[in-house]
Amino acid sequence: MTSSLTRGLTRILNRPVDGKTRHRAALHLIDWIGCAFAGSREGAGRILAEQAAAALPGGISLIGARAINDAEEAAFLNGGLGNVFEMDDVHRAAILHPGPVTIPAALAAAEAGGVTGQELLDAIVRGYEAVIRLGAAVGPAHYSQWHNTATCGPFGSAAAVASLLKLKEDAIVWALGNAGTQASGPWRCRHEDVMTKQLHTARAARAGYSAAWLASLGFTGPEFILEGEQGFFAAMCPDGRPEDVLLDPDAPWKVWETSFKPWPACRHAHPAIDAALLLRDSEKIPIDSVKAIEIATYGDAKAFCDRARPVTTIEAKFSLQHGVALVLLDGPPTLSGFATDNIQREDIAALREKSTVTIRDDLDAAYPQHFGSEVRIVLRSGETKSATVLDALGDPENPLPTERLIAKAEMLMTVAGVKNDGQKKVIDACLALANSGPLSDLTDTLQSINASITEDPK
């Protein structure tokens, strides 16, 4: 029988993970924890906490709620938190968020299985590898209809949990097969102000967890789930490239290609935000002299974020016009910049109305390997000012410094009511994992923090 893509992927995943890559995974763990704590205090997070309250107490850590006894349920509940503020990590070519699906499943499995901190980091690396390799192969037609994080996410969570369960090759193939058969998540949720996107990540984390756990018991799954007749690519990826799943099998781990997000908005809005920041810092443009704002970008950024009149916070996060106007008036965007009072501000609304969004051919051709944008301001005098960003801040070509990443996590934990000493313990414990630090230092800290967070941290 011809070797399957899932078997080839399994062999890529079974490579050893080096120390530097473990440290990189620890940074992604810090980033996810910050995002998850902040998300736990929002509407979707509070509802998930209510569901957690119905579970039996136990030793599996949740973010923002008491520990429970069910690791699979913990993967689901934590899986719904990391994307709430739209600040979770992202891979450009795969156009998905690996952290909020891979890390919750890995953390739950690690705590349930009593593994080492290094084994947790290795599992995160392998989970990122699986979800990113698949996401980069599904093609633009898939992304136009399907949320890649939701459809490809179960492969990442399954790979991570399979690593922690130390599954043999056949069992990993089964786990990936049954992860793929659970792939779902159409983009309809983006058209309405609903919490479904959090359900996408939660379900993807749990789907992969259950697929791997069942495989450990001998529950078989379809080996040719990707390329086979009526399989994943045939059903969902009309212009997909299945062979790309195994492209460059000896390349550095994909976690190194994953970007950190500095701003609380859709990643497609980030290059325009960065370009607006360049203009604000370098040109000192008087706002009352602005006649028009022209935002040039790539096709998907326009498709997802051309929204001149956002009403809700989530719409503002998916509005190029709002992000650029906010930056020109207030500087680097904060969480509050996307709140209702700022959405309704007359000065921001006026700039949004002066803004247009177009697709620029060279930026569109570079996408998704590069997320770029140009912001051009036309003054009433006829003079123009412009700035172009070819790679958003946080991408590998324009990396976010570690100190800024940690400051971001601290800010997000502060939003959730986590005190400074708790923040430091979380960060120190995550970084120590790469150097054989005990996993219990992290999980004990998380459980201690959860016990101390008030009902309303504000």
Side-chain angles (χ1 to χ4, degrees):
M1 181 183 290
T2 303
S3 181
S4 65
L5 292 178
T6 53
R7 192 168 295 276
L9 178 58
T10 295
R11 291 166 182 168
I12 293 173
L13 299 177
N14 281 336
R15 293 176 293 161
V17 179
D18 61 278
K20 288 184 178 180
T21 303
R22 283 179 180 147
H23 177 75
R24 174 74 180 202
L27 295 178
H28 284 275
L29 178 59
I30 291 169
D31 190 58
W32 173 78
I33 288 174
C35 291
F37 263 118
S40 73
R41 313 312 289 167
E42 293 298 297
R46 290 180 184 275
I47 292 171
L48 290 167
E50 288 182 24
Q51 180 167 329
L56 292 174
I60 310 299
S61 299
L62 296 178
I63 302 295
R66 64 168 174 78
I68 62 175
N69 73 332
D70 186 337
E72 183 178 325
E73 183 73 355
F76 175 83
L77 295 169
N78 282 335
L81 301 176
N83 181 251
V84 172
F85 273 100
E86 294 290 344
M87 294 195 77
D88 44 336
D89 59 14
V90 61
H91 189 275
R92 293 172 301 179
I95 326 178
L96 52 70
H97 306 278
V101 295
T102 299
I103 294 177
L107 182 61
E111 203 163 4
V115 304
T116 68
Q118 288 188 338
E119 287 172 324
L120 169 62
L121 297 179
D122 289 357
I124 291 171
V125 170
R126 291 176 176 131
Y128 274 52
E129 190 76 9
V131 67
I132 290 168
R133 282 183 170 274
L134 183 62
V138 296
H142 179 90
Y143 182 66
S144 71
Q145 301 295 326
W146 297 95
H147 181 197
N148 286 9
T149 306
T151 56
C152 304
F155 291 91
S157 52
V161 176
S163 175
L164 290 164
L165 294 175
K166 299 179 173 59
L167 299 188
K168 296 189 181 299
E169 184 175 294
D170 281 347
I172 299 173
V173 169
W174 299 338
L176 294 173
N178 283 328
T181 205
Q182 299 179 77
S184 66
W187 268 128
R188 180 61 219 171
C189 63
R190 185 47 57 228
H191 298 273
E192 303 178 35
D193 185 20
V194 293
M195 298 176 181
T196 305
K197 197 158 181 260
Q198 278 63 66
L199 182 61
H200 282 184
T201 54
R203 185 207 51 80
R206 179 162 62 187
Y209 185 101
S210 63
W213 182 255
L214 288 170
S216 74
L217 302 175
F219 197 98
T220 60
E223 176 164 352
F224 290 86
I225 185 65
L226 294 178
E227 71 272 38
E229 182 182 359
Q230 295 185 302
F232 180 87
F233 277 89
M236 303 172 75
C237 311
D239 60 355
R241 303 173 303 278
E243 65 279 5
D244 283 6
V245 173
L246 306 184
L247 193 66
D248 297 328
D250 298 318
W253 290 101
K254 298 296 183 184
V255 70
W256 289 103
E257 300 177 359
T258 306
S259 304
F260 294 108
K261 293 174 65 174
W263 317 125
C266 174
R267 186 58 170 177
H268 293 314
H270 281 216
I273 288 173
D274 291 341
L277 280 169
L278 286 177
L279 279 175
R280 187 178 193 274
D281 292 343
S282 63
E283 299 292 347
K284 311 299 182 187
I285 296 169
I287 297 300
D288 58 2
S289 70
V290 174
K291 179 180 179 181
I293 300 172
E294 301 168 356
I295 304 168
T297 187
Y298 50 91
D300 273 345
K302 179 172 172 58
F304 279 77
C305 298
D306 183 2
R307 187 174 281 108
R309 297 175 182 174
V311 175
T312 65
T313 291
I314 195 63
E315 289 179 351
K317 288 174 180 284
F318 280 74
S319 169
L320 289 161
Q321 293 92 328
H322 183 82
V324 169
L326 179 68
V327 164
L328 292 175
L329 287 164
D330 294 355
T334 63
L335 293 173
S336 63
F338 299 88
T340 302
D341 55 347
N342 279 313
I343 296 171
Q344 296 176 348
R345 271 172 52 186
E346 291 184 4
D347 54 349
I348 291 178
L351 284 184
R352 289 197 306 253
E353 291 294 331
K354 295 177 182 179
S355 302
T356 57
V357 178
T358 60
I359 299 171
R360 203 173 92 181
D361 289 345
D362 60 325
L363 299 175
D364 197 44
Y367 172 82
Q369 284 71 29
H370 302 276
F371 283 25
S373 183
E374 178 191 25
V375 174
R376 180 184 179 90
I377 295 178
V378 181
L379 303 179
R380 296 187 186 281
S381 65
E383 185 182 7
T384 62
K385 307 283 186 180
S386 68
T388 300
V389 168
L390 299 179
D391 293 289
L393 179 61
D395 285 345
E397 297 84 356
N398 188 12
L400 190 69
T402 299
E403 58 270 21
R404 285 192 61 177
L405 172 67
I406 290 175
K408 168 192 167 183
E410 291 171 339
M411 177 273 292
L412 290 168
M413 285 190 275
T414 297
V415 168
V418 181
K419 305 301 183 185
N420 290 344
D421 62 334
Q423 296 173 19
K424 185 177 187 306
K425 287 179 181 178
V426 166
I427 292 164
D428 289 348
C430 287
L431 293 174
L433 296 178
N435 297 314
S436 301
L439 179 60
S440 59
D441 281 359
L442 173 60
T443 55
D444 288 349
T445 298
L446 292 176
Q447 293 185 28
S448 174
I449 288 171
N450 291 335
S452 67
I453 291 177
T454 60
E455 182 62 24
D456 185 355
K458 299 176 184 178

